[in-house]
mmCIF file of all heavy atoms in Angstrom:
data_model
loop_
_atom_site.group_PDB
_atom_site.id
_atom_site.type_symbol
_atom_site.label_atom_id
_atom_site.label_comp_id
_atom_site.label_asym_id
_atom_site.label_seq_id
_atom_site.Cartn_x
_atom_site.Cartn_y
_atom_site.Cartn_z
ATOM 1 N N SER N 42 23.920 64.662 96.971
ATOM 2 C CA SER N 42 22.545 64.981 97.287
ATOM 3 C C SER N 42 21.792 66.023 96.389
ATOM 4 O O SER N 42 20.571 66.115 96.323
ATOM 5 C CB SER N 42 22.323 65.416 98.783
ATOM 6 O OG SER N 42 22.992 66.628 99.012
ATOM 7 N N PHE N 43 22.598 66.916 95.812
ATOM 8 C CA PHE N 43 22.094 67.973 94.891
ATOM 9 C C PHE N 43 21.662 67.360 93.517
ATOM 10 O O PHE N 43 22.495 66.739 92.914
ATOM 11 C CB PHE N 43 23.111 69.125 94.761
ATOM 12 C CG PHE N 43 22.565 70.162 93.794
ATOM 13 C CD1 PHE N 43 21.687 71.220 94.337
ATOM 14 C CD2 PHE N 43 22.943 70.380 92.569
ATOM 15 C CE1 PHE N 43 21.186 72.170 93.600
ATOM 16 C CE2 PHE N 43 22.562 71.343 91.803
ATOM 17 C CZ PHE N 43 21.615 72.305 92.218
ATOM 18 N N LYS N 44 20.469 67.626 93.023
ATOM 19 C CA LYS N 44 20.075 67.082 91.864
ATOM 20 C C LYS N 44 19.880 68.233 90.890
ATOM 21 O O LYS N 44 18.882 69.001 90.900
ATOM 22 C CB LYS N 44 18.682 66.321 91.983
ATOM 23 C CG LYS N 44 18.275 65.722 90.594
ATOM 24 C CD LYS N 44 17.151 64.845 90.799
ATOM 25 C CE LYS N 44 16.558 64.280 89.466
ATOM 26 N NZ LYS N 44 15.376 63.595 89.523
ATOM 27 N N PRO N 45 20.793 68.476 89.877
ATOM 28 C CA PRO N 45 20.627 69.596 88.914
ATOM 29 C C PRO N 45 19.470 69.260 87.963
ATOM 30 O O PRO N 45 19.165 68.192 87.676
ATOM 31 C CB PRO N 45 21.960 69.609 88.185
ATOM 32 C CG PRO N 45 22.548 68.296 88.414
ATOM 33 C CD PRO N 45 22.065 67.693 89.730
ATOM 34 N N PRO N 46 18.740 70.318 87.520
ATOM 35 C CA PRO N 46 17.596 70.173 86.643
ATOM 36 C C PRO N 46 18.046 69.803 85.242
ATOM 37 O O PRO N 46 19.187 70.222 84.800
ATOM 38 C CB PRO N 46 16.805 71.496 86.732
ATOM 39 C CG PRO N 46 17.867 72.477 87.130
ATOM 40 C CD PRO N 46 18.844 71.694 87.982
ATOM 41 N N LEU N 47 17.197 69.202 84.483
ATOM 42 C CA LEU N 47 17.324 68.934 83.017
ATOM 43 C C LEU N 47 17.530 70.210 82.226
ATOM 44 O O LEU N 47 16.638 71.013 82.495
ATOM 45 C CB LEU N 47 16.245 68.072 82.545
ATOM 46 C CG LEU N 47 16.343 67.672 81.022
ATOM 47 C CD1 LEU N 47 17.524 66.691 80.790
ATOM 48 C CD2 LEU N 47 14.945 67.085 80.653
ATOM 49 N N ILE N 48 18.516 70.364 81.418
ATOM 50 C CA ILE N 48 18.624 71.527 80.552
ATOM 51 C C ILE N 48 18.559 71.190 79.063
ATOM 52 O O ILE N 48 18.190 72.075 78.259
ATOM 53 C CB ILE N 48 19.920 72.309 80.844
ATOM 54 C CG1 ILE N 48 21.127 71.440 80.656
ATOM 55 C CG2 ILE N 48 19.904 72.949 82.228
ATOM 56 C CD1 ILE N 48 22.474 72.156 80.489
ATOM 57 N N ALA N 49 18.852 69.969 78.651
ATOM 58 C CA ALA N 49 18.783 69.621 77.261
ATOM 59 C C ALA N 49 18.811 68.177 77.020
ATOM 60 O O ALA N 49 19.437 67.360 77.698
ATOM 61 C CB ALA N 49 20.000 70.275 76.523
ATOM 62 N N ASN N 50 18.185 67.812 75.857
ATOM 63 C CA ASN N 50 18.256 66.393 75.286
ATOM 64 C C ASN N 50 17.878 65.236 76.148
ATOM 65 O O ASN N 50 18.259 64.164 75.868
ATOM 66 C CB ASN N 50 19.749 66.153 74.825
ATOM 67 C CG ASN N 50 20.277 67.199 73.829
ATOM 68 O OD1 ASN N 50 19.450 67.780 73.159
ATOM 69 N ND2 ASN N 50 21.514 67.373 73.785
ATOM 70 N N ASN N 51 17.298 65.461 77.157
ATOM 71 C CA ASN N 51 16.895 64.406 78.178
ATOM 72 C C ASN N 51 18.126 63.652 78.790
ATOM 73 O O ASN N 51 17.958 62.667 79.412
ATOM 74 C CB ASN N 51 15.928 63.345 77.602
ATOM 75 C CG ASN N 51 14.650 63.833 77.391
ATOM 76 O OD1 ASN N 51 14.112 64.634 78.181
ATOM 77 N ND2 ASN N 51 13.953 63.395 76.343
ATOM 78 N N ASN N 52 19.326 64.300 78.677
ATOM 79 C CA ASN N 52 20.496 63.765 79.316
ATOM 80 C C ASN N 52 21.452 64.657 79.822
ATOM 81 O O ASN N 52 22.556 64.324 80.359
ATOM 82 C CB ASN N 52 21.186 62.711 78.329
ATOM 83 C CG ASN N 52 21.893 63.464 77.164
ATOM 84 O OD1 ASN N 52 21.434 64.539 76.767
ATOM 85 N ND2 ASN N 52 22.982 62.904 76.661
ATOM 86 N N ALA N 53 21.171 65.994 79.811
ATOM 87 C CA ALA N 53 22.043 66.959 80.268
ATOM 88 C C ALA N 53 21.438 67.800 81.296
ATOM 89 O O ALA N 53 20.436 68.362 81.194
ATOM 90 C CB ALA N 53 22.571 67.884 79.057
ATOM 91 N N PHE N 54 22.097 67.893 82.502
ATOM 92 C CA PHE N 54 21.539 68.525 83.682
ATOM 93 C C PHE N 54 22.569 69.519 84.247
ATOM 94 O O PHE N 54 23.733 69.269 84.233
ATOM 95 C CB PHE N 54 21.334 67.416 84.730
ATOM 96 C CG PHE N 54 20.449 66.286 84.346
ATOM 97 C CD1 PHE N 54 20.962 65.201 83.573
ATOM 98 C CD2 PHE N 54 19.144 66.253 84.629
ATOM 99 C CE1 PHE N 54 20.045 64.198 83.131
ATOM 100 C CE2 PHE N 54 18.220 65.276 84.327
ATOM 101 C CZ PHE N 54 18.806 64.309 83.518
ATOM 102 N N LEU N 55 21.991 70.707 84.635
ATOM 103 C CA LEU N 55 22.988 71.720 85.159
ATOM 104 C C LEU N 55 22.162 72.540 86.149
ATOM 105 O O LEU N 55 21.056 72.864 85.990
ATOM 106 C CB LEU N 55 23.427 72.597 84.085
ATOM 107 C CG LEU N 55 24.448 73.667 84.475
ATOM 108 C CD1 LEU N 55 25.513 73.800 83.500
ATOM 109 C CD2 LEU N 55 23.797 75.002 84.710
ATOM 110 N N GLY N 56 22.783 72.755 87.436
ATOM 111 C CA GLY N 56 22.164 73.607 88.370
ATOM 112 C C GLY N 56 23.188 74.288 89.220
ATOM 113 O O GLY N 56 24.228 73.762 89.574
ATOM 114 N N ASP N 57 22.826 75.571 89.463
ATOM 115 C CA ASP N 57 23.658 76.346 90.475
ATOM 116 C C ASP N 57 23.398 75.967 91.879
ATOM 117 O O ASP N 57 22.198 76.045 92.305
ATOM 118 C CB ASP N 57 23.405 77.863 90.211
ATOM 119 C CG ASP N 57 23.748 78.393 88.823
ATOM 120 O OD1 ASP N 57 24.659 77.638 88.176
ATOM 121 O OD2 ASP N 57 23.238 79.250 88.384
ATOM 122 N N VAL N 58 24.367 75.618 92.581
ATOM 123 C CA VAL N 58 24.264 75.362 94.132
ATOM 124 C C VAL N 58 24.311 76.711 94.698
ATOM 125 O O VAL N 58 23.497 76.960 95.681
ATOM 126 C CB VAL N 58 25.411 74.382 94.564
ATOM 127 C CG1 VAL N 58 25.284 74.208 96.125
ATOM 128 C CG2 VAL N 58 25.300 72.997 93.855
#
Side-chain angles (χ1 to χ4, degrees):
S42 65
F43 179 79
K44 184 177 180 180
L47 180 68
I48 59 164
N50 304 333
N51 286 329
N52 70 327
F54 303 81
L55 184 137
D57 295 338
V58 175

